[in-house]
Amino acid sequence: MTTTPTPGFTTADAAELYQVPNWSGGWFRVSDKGQLEATTSPGLHVPLRAIVDEIVDRGESLPVILRFPQVLAGRVKHLNEVFGQAIAEYGYTRHYQGVFPIKVNQRRAVVETVASAGYDYAHGLEAGSKAELALCLAQRMHPDALLCCNGFKDDGFIKLALWGRTLGKNVVITIEKFSELDRILKQAKALGVRPAIGVRFKLHARGSGQWEESGGDQAKFGLNAYELLRVVERLKEEGMIDSLVMLHTHIGSQITDIRRVKVAVREATQTYAGLIAAGAELKYLNVGGGLGVDYDGSKTTFYASMNYTVKEYAADVVYTIQETCKARGVPEPIIISESGRALTAHHAVLILPVIDVTGPTRNLEDQELVAPAEDSHQLIKDMHEIVQNISMRNYREMYNDAVGDKQTLHDLFDLGYVTLQDRARGEALFNAILRKISKLIQSEKYVPDELEDLQKVLADKYICNFSLFQSLPDNWAIQALFPIVPLDRLNQKPTRQATLVDITCDSDGKIEKFIDLRDVKATLPLHEPGKQPYYLGVFLMGAYQDVLGSSHNLFGKVSEAHVTVRPGGRFNIDLFVRGQKARRMIESMGYEEPMLRDSIEDQADAALKVGTLTPGQEHELLEDYGEELLGYTYLEYEES
């Protein structure tokens, strides 16, 4: 699809406008043709619009998630290799092994890709429930790769983990509370299996960002120093001190400040050294998760960013552990980290079709604001005069007059002194006043306080075919930010300012905060939709969003396409997984399809008897009802 460039606006301007180089990590770029491309490795890139067009041409419906396994594999490789480089640079005597916590994204394509890409690095998996453990045990993993069992456990969880060791898996059961030790010892004796035990310690150090409260003394998981030493003593008593192989710590997800990482790692290493001194024979030091993702590209300690790179993270972890071990005279441990967000976020893109646009000035801009009639209300005449006379010198005074006139207009309407026609005319004039003032102050360095939200007030609402609660729950629940960019027309200057709304019957189903290098923007610059479909991509949404989504309004999981990029801008859609059907969503609420069909058939028969349906209409009704039960839960339009 070719577009006519806007004079004076380049694709470099578009890349800067949407901050693509800052948040993409090199995995996405704006091409010279004004299209957003996925770049899975040097020389391998493909326009996202081409993939979407192929999906539509196949007769599939949108929205859709595009998954790029090559990006996911590349993230696994990058993490392991930067740790390898840091270990070589500092002369660290042991090695690094990553562990992927599958709670971040349990989708089969994700887990299997991580396990495969990480095989040569002995990159392992982490399970936090019995279901996750059952899933992890079935994966092909390197014999040395760790399978960490975290979270609270019952006998069944522990027993399954011990059976994993008999299968040759390097399963480590992490003690999250002191009472779990007895359960582990009891089940191990019953099965005759020697356990590998880890213990989570509550660090005093805490992370930074939205999950800061998950660390520290009041953390949900972990043992205190006294309990830690009691574990060592108990295992000595049982003659099983060699079973304690790992110290595990964690200070929260999405750590924004590298200084917090270094403080936590130093405390963890001091604790490791103390356990060695107490007689433990630890092999692994697990520094937990928290490696961040720079969602807004600002490289700051803002909650949607991080002030460090993956390479800097690895170097600081290795150096801090080595420095502390040397000072305490203890052997260096194998370094473990449980990064999930940093591995998975980049690989998935949610494609949103824009299906309509609404806004306070949508139907006004092409309408000539003619002079009011003689019998129009005086307020209408006053507001029309304001429109004609606004200038740089008086726009603030005129704005305040217009606000007062609008309020008076509404008050008089409520009392019956203003007609509906005059109210409509007055509101149109008020919006024209706002639009004219907005244009006047665009170049102003200082904007009066009362006009700061003017752009948001005037913003269009781009209606997108998706459910915020299903596909981007973190945006709704914790105001997480995700980069959002048009897939094409990036050689044309956007002329609209917009917010996004979904198709749920919920006023919270909207996106009104967007990434910015200096602040959070209230609107997103977009193009005027034309005859061709207009698509937006939501990026960095591969972590947690797939698994946290809710069934609000019974909108189900979105279809997904697994895409491999080939040389020359070509690509393969290796797998297309259709989204959930309406029938499945309804059944998840306790209904049964036959019961639903029977009810509709009974009602149709009754309508046929009283004459409100003809036999032909009855047949068509039942056929349409059945088709919708088997249809996509999202709106289905024929793309032009």
Side-chain angles (χ1 to χ4, degrees), residues 175-178 199-203 221-225 227-228 231:
I175 299 173
E176 304 283 9
K177 53 191 177 79
F178 186 77
V199 60
R200 190 194 298 237
F201 177 55
K202 288 184 181 181
L203 295 176
F221 298 108
L223 281 62
N224 59 35
E227 291 171 325
L228 208 59
V231 169

mmCIF file of all heavy atoms in Angstrom, residues 175-178 199-203 221-225 227-228 231:
data_model
loop_
_atom_site.group_PDB
_atom_site.id
_atom_site.type_symbol
_atom_site.label_atom_id
_atom_site.label_comp_id
_atom_site.label_asym_id
_atom_site.label_seq_id
_atom_site.Cartn_x
_atom_site.Cartn_y
_atom_site.Cartn_z
ATOM 1 N N ILE A 175 11.487 -23.180 49.290
ATOM 2 C CA ILE A 175 10.704 -23.011 50.521
ATOM 3 C C ILE A 175 10.273 -21.558 50.617
ATOM 4 O O ILE A 175 11.099 -20.654 50.689
ATOM 5 C CB ILE A 175 11.531 -23.403 51.758
ATOM 6 C CG1 ILE A 175 11.943 -24.872 51.687
ATOM 7 C CG2 ILE A 175 10.761 -23.124 53.044
ATOM 8 C CD1 ILE A 175 12.907 -25.290 52.781
ATOM 9 N N GLU A 176 8.960 -21.338 50.613
ATOM 10 C CA GLU A 176 8.415 -19.982 50.703
ATOM 11 C C GLU A 176 7.995 -19.643 52.124
ATOM 12 O O GLU A 176 7.915 -18.472 52.495
ATOM 13 C CB GLU A 176 7.205 -19.836 49.774
ATOM 14 C CG GLU A 176 7.481 -20.166 48.310
ATOM 15 C CD GLU A 176 8.219 -19.064 47.575
ATOM 16 O OE1 GLU A 176 8.675 -18.111 48.231
ATOM 17 O OE2 GLU A 176 8.351 -19.169 46.345
ATOM 18 N N LYS A 177 7.667 -20.656 52.919
ATOM 19 C CA LYS A 177 7.365 -20.477 54.344
ATOM 20 C C LYS A 177 7.925 -21.676 55.098
ATOM 21 O O LYS A 177 8.039 -22.778 54.554
ATOM 22 C CB LYS A 177 5.864 -20.323 54.579
ATOM 23 C CG LYS A 177 4.972 -21.386 53.995
ATOM 24 C CD LYS A 177 3.509 -20.969 54.080
ATOM 25 C CE LYS A 177 2.584 -22.015 53.428
ATOM 26 N NZ LYS A 177 2.351 -23.163 54.289
ATOM 27 N N PHE A 178 8.306 -21.464 56.344
ATOM 28 C CA PHE A 178 9.092 -22.455 57.080
ATOM 29 C C PHE A 178 8.403 -23.811 57.166
ATOM 30 O O PHE A 178 9.055 -24.856 57.111
ATOM 31 C CB PHE A 178 9.381 -21.925 58.496
ATOM 32 C CG PHE A 178 10.310 -22.817 59.278
ATOM 33 C CD1 PHE A 178 11.665 -22.814 59.024
ATOM 34 C CD2 PHE A 178 9.817 -23.677 60.251
ATOM 35 C CE1 PHE A 178 12.523 -23.645 59.740
ATOM 36 C CE2 PHE A 178 10.652 -24.500 60.961
ATOM 37 C CZ PHE A 178 12.014 -24.484 60.706
ATOM 38 N N VAL A 199 15.655 -21.879 49.142
ATOM 39 C CA VAL A 199 14.954 -21.153 50.191
ATOM 40 C C VAL A 199 14.899 -19.677 49.807
ATOM 41 O O VAL A 199 15.904 -19.093 49.395
ATOM 42 C CB VAL A 199 15.630 -21.356 51.565
ATOM 43 C CG1 VAL A 199 17.068 -20.862 51.554
ATOM 44 C CG2 VAL A 199 14.843 -20.692 52.678
ATOM 45 N N ARG A 200 13.709 -19.117 49.909
ATOM 46 C CA ARG A 200 13.552 -17.699 49.585
ATOM 47 C C ARG A 200 13.730 -16.863 50.849
ATOM 48 O O ARG A 200 13.114 -17.139 51.876
ATOM 49 C CB ARG A 200 12.200 -17.406 48.969
ATOM 50 C CG ARG A 200 12.144 -15.959 48.410
ATOM 51 C CD ARG A 200 10.736 -15.487 48.092
ATOM 52 N NE ARG A 200 10.090 -16.254 47.077
ATOM 53 C CZ ARG A 200 9.597 -15.762 45.934
ATOM 54 N NH1 ARG A 200 9.731 -14.491 45.653
ATOM 55 N NH2 ARG A 200 8.971 -16.540 45.081
ATOM 56 N N PHE A 201 14.552 -15.831 50.730
ATOM 57 C CA PHE A 201 14.845 -14.950 51.848
ATOM 58 C C PHE A 201 14.210 -13.589 51.608
ATOM 59 O O PHE A 201 14.285 -13.037 50.519
ATOM 60 C CB PHE A 201 16.362 -14.799 52.000
ATOM 61 C CG PHE A 201 16.782 -13.858 53.090
ATOM 62 C CD1 PHE A 201 16.338 -14.027 54.395
ATOM 63 C CD2 PHE A 201 17.625 -12.784 52.827
ATOM 64 C CE1 PHE A 201 16.728 -13.151 55.403
ATOM 65 C CE2 PHE A 201 18.021 -11.909 53.822
ATOM 66 C CZ PHE A 201 17.563 -12.101 55.116
ATOM 67 N N LYS A 202 13.560 -13.052 52.645
ATOM 68 C CA LYS A 202 12.984 -11.711 52.554
ATOM 69 C C LYS A 202 14.095 -10.669 52.713
ATOM 70 O O LYS A 202 14.595 -10.448 53.823
ATOM 71 C CB LYS A 202 11.942 -11.496 53.650
ATOM 72 C CG LYS A 202 10.646 -12.243 53.458
ATOM 73 C CD LYS A 202 9.652 -11.869 54.560
ATOM 74 C CE LYS A 202 8.350 -12.616 54.399
ATOM 75 N NZ LYS A 202 7.360 -12.255 55.440
ATOM 76 N N LEU A 203 14.461 -10.067 51.624
ATOM 77 C CA LEU A 203 15.461 -9.013 51.692
ATOM 78 C C LEU A 203 14.870 -7.771 52.353
ATOM 79 O O LEU A 203 13.688 -7.477 52.216
ATOM 80 C CB LEU A 203 15.945 -8.645 50.289
ATOM 81 C CG LEU A 203 16.705 -9.718 49.505
ATOM 82 C CD1 LEU A 203 17.018 -9.190 48.104
ATOM 83 C CD2 LEU A 203 17.986 -10.119 50.209
ATOM 84 N N PHE A 221 6.113 -13.540 50.230
ATOM 85 C CA PHE A 221 6.859 -14.792 50.251
ATOM 86 C C PHE A 221 8.180 -14.628 50.997
ATOM 87 O O PHE A 221 8.737 -13.547 51.072
ATOM 88 C CB PHE A 221 7.162 -15.263 48.822
ATOM 89 C CG PHE A 221 5.945 -15.563 48.004
ATOM 90 C CD1 PHE A 221 5.566 -14.718 46.975
ATOM 91 C CD2 PHE A 221 5.189 -16.691 48.248
ATOM 92 C CE1 PHE A 221 4.455 -14.996 46.204
ATOM 93 C CE2 PHE A 221 4.073 -16.986 47.474
ATOM 94 C CZ PHE A 221 3.707 -16.141 46.460
ATOM 95 N N GLY A 222 8.698 -15.727 51.500
ATOM 96 C CA GLY A 222 10.053 -15.747 52.005
ATOM 97 C C GLY A 222 10.180 -15.895 53.510
ATOM 98 O O GLY A 222 9.224 -15.716 54.273
ATOM 99 N N LEU A 223 11.380 -16.238 53.925
ATOM 100 C CA LEU A 223 11.709 -16.459 55.331
ATOM 101 C C LEU A 223 12.551 -15.300 55.839
ATOM 102 O O LEU A 223 13.255 -14.642 55.065
ATOM 103 C CB LEU A 223 12.492 -17.764 55.502
ATOM 104 C CG LEU A 223 11.705 -19.085 55.490
ATOM 105 C CD1 LEU A 223 11.004 -19.301 54.162
ATOM 106 C CD2 LEU A 223 12.624 -20.269 55.786
ATOM 107 N N ASN A 224 12.486 -15.062 57.143
ATOM 108 C CA ASN A 224 13.373 -14.069 57.743
ATOM 109 C C ASN A 224 14.706 -14.730 58.105
ATOM 110 O O ASN A 224 14.896 -15.939 57.918
ATOM 111 C CB ASN A 224 12.723 -13.395 58.949
ATOM 112 C CG ASN A 224 12.332 -14.398 60.031
ATOM 113 O OD1 ASN A 224 13.026 -15.400 60.256
ATOM 114 N ND2 ASN A 224 11.229 -14.134 60.715
ATOM 115 N N ALA A 225 15.633 -13.951 58.626
ATOM 116 C CA ALA A 225 16.981 -14.457 58.909
ATOM 117 C C ALA A 225 16.961 -15.597 59.924
ATOM 118 O O ALA A 225 17.683 -16.600 59.770
ATOM 119 C CB ALA A 225 17.859 -13.311 59.392
ATOM 120 N N GLU A 227 14.509 -17.756 60.552
ATOM 121 C CA GLU A 227 13.957 -18.955 59.915
ATOM 122 C C GLU A 227 14.944 -19.565 58.931
ATOM 123 O O GLU A 227 15.021 -20.800 58.778
ATOM 124 C CB GLU A 227 12.652 -18.601 59.200
ATOM 125 C CG GLU A 227 11.506 -18.247 60.128
ATOM 126 C CD GLU A 227 10.309 -17.692 59.398
ATOM 127 O OE1 GLU A 227 10.500 -16.980 58.389
ATOM 128 O OE2 GLU A 227 9.171 -17.974 59.835
ATOM 129 N N LEU A 228 15.711 -18.724 58.263
ATOM 130 C CA LEU A 228 16.717 -19.198 57.322
ATOM 131 C C LEU A 228 17.739 -20.097 58.028
ATOM 132 O O LEU A 228 18.078 -21.192 57.555
ATOM 133 C CB LEU A 228 17.408 -17.990 56.697
ATOM 134 C CG LEU A 228 17.991 -18.121 55.293
ATOM 135 C CD1 LEU A 228 16.915 -18.492 54.298
ATOM 136 C CD2 LEU A 228 18.661 -16.814 54.898
ATOM 137 N N VAL A 231 16.332 -23.488 59.007
ATOM 138 C CA VAL A 231 16.327 -24.447 57.907
ATOM 139 C C VAL A 231 17.667 -25.168 57.826
ATOM 140 O O VAL A 231 17.725 -26.399 57.675
ATOM 141 C CB VAL A 231 16.013 -23.742 56.570
ATOM 142 C CG1 VAL A 231 16.275 -24.673 55.383
ATOM 143 C CG2 VAL A 231 14.577 -23.265 56.540
#
